[in-house]
Structures are given as structure tokens and as C-alpha cells.
Amino acid sequence: MTPFEMAKLHLMSGSLTRPWSESEYKNLLATDTIRFFYVENGFLVGRLIGSDAEILNVIVHPEYRRLGKARYLIGKFEKEAKNVGSSRCFLEVAESNSSANKLYHDLGYLKVGQRKNYYEFIDGRKDNASILAKEI
């Protein structure tokens, strides 16, 4: 999957926030701490820094959700992170994103913090980001 395809899928994902651009994905993937996993119609980008891992983005096309793709991608990333010595995995999620919050909770992620008004939606609304973490 190319950075162009990633940006296109991100745009098609129905994200209520600004989708990341091809150049943003290209620059991100050029970083040695970044890990990238993909499946048909979905991908995950994460960062590994010492004992910490961070999921930056999980994107699945809306027509292919609830098929286990995000769960699979997260599992692959957690395994890679653990294999290189990470012991915790972090991520941020909009508080209003109930389906993502349910998935992360089901996978054992717990809320460890919050960023007030972190997300700005395309329609101008704002939402808090929950910072979630899991021991891996």
C-alpha cells in the first residue's frame, strides 16, 4: 500500500477530522520508529519508542468494518512492539467514537488521560481525546 493509497483510504474512511495527506504518510513511513501493517481495505500506523508503543492511526474502509480487520491489525502491531521490547501501548481516540472505544476496551485498553477539545471535526465541533494504554 502506497502513501497515496493510504491517504485515499483515509479520506474514504468517513473520518470526521481532517484526513492525513499522501505527503504526511510518506514522511511518517520514512521514520525508522514507524511500523506499518495493512490488510485489504485497512491499515495501521504505529510508533515504537523504547518501552512504549503508540498506535497513531487505524483506518478501515466503512464497508469493511466489523469484520475483525482493526482487531487483527492492532494484534499484529502489539506483537511487533512486544518483540522489540515495548511493554506498553498507547493510543488516542475521540470520546464520541463509540465503536472504536468499544473495540479498544474489549482489547484491554484503559483510559489513562484526556486531552480537552483535542479533536476538531470538519463541521467545527470539538471533542476530547481519551488517552488509552495497555500493558503488552
Side-chain angles (χ1 to χ4, degrees):
M1 180 173 276
T2 67
F4 172 78
E5 292 168 324
M6 294 168 74
K8 183 178 176 184
L9 183 56
H10 194 161
L11 179 63
M12 293 170 36
S13 74
S15 176
L16 298 176
T17 59
R18 180 190 64 80
W20 295 5
S21 69
E22 176 183 4
S23 63
E24 287 172 306
Y25 279 117
K26 185 177 181 179
N27 291 337
L28 194 62
L29 294 174
T31 307
D32 63 353
T33 59
I34 294 299
R35 297 297 185 273
F36 168 70
F37 299 95
Y38 70 97
V39 293
E40 187 176 4
N41 297 301
F43 67 89
L44 178 148
V45 178
R47 176 179 15 233
L48 303 176
I49 303 174
S51 65
D52 291 337
E54 180 184 16
I55 295 172
L56 301 174
N57 228 339
V58 180
I59 302 292
V60 176
H61 189 287
E63 293 177 13
Y64 297 90
R65 292 184 182 153
R66 302 212 188 287
L67 299 174
K69 291 178 183 282
R71 182 181 298 269
Y72 172 80
L73 291 165
I74 293 166
K76 292 276 287 184
F77 177 72
E78 290 174 351
K79 183 177 180 181
E80 169 78 6
K82 188 172 184 173
N83 286 343
V84 300
S86 297
S87 59
R88 288 179 302 182
C89 188
F90 292 89
L91 60 87
E92 293 171 347
V93 60
E95 289 182 351
S96 62
N97 189 342
S98 58
S99 59
N101 276 295
K102 180 178 180 345
L103 171 64
Y104 299 138
H105 176 77
D106 290 350
L107 291 173
Y109 284 84
L110 302 173
K111 186 173 181 177
V112 295
Q114 180 186 64
R115 290 194 169 108
K116 295 270 188 191
N117 297 315
Y118 181 76
Y119 290 103
E120 187 169 337
F121 295 121
I122 296 167
D123 64 7
R125 291 179 303 116
K126 292 190 176 188
D127 194 6
N128 299 329
S130 291
I131 302 168
L132 307 180
K134 174 183 177 180
E135 298 295 321
I136 54 175

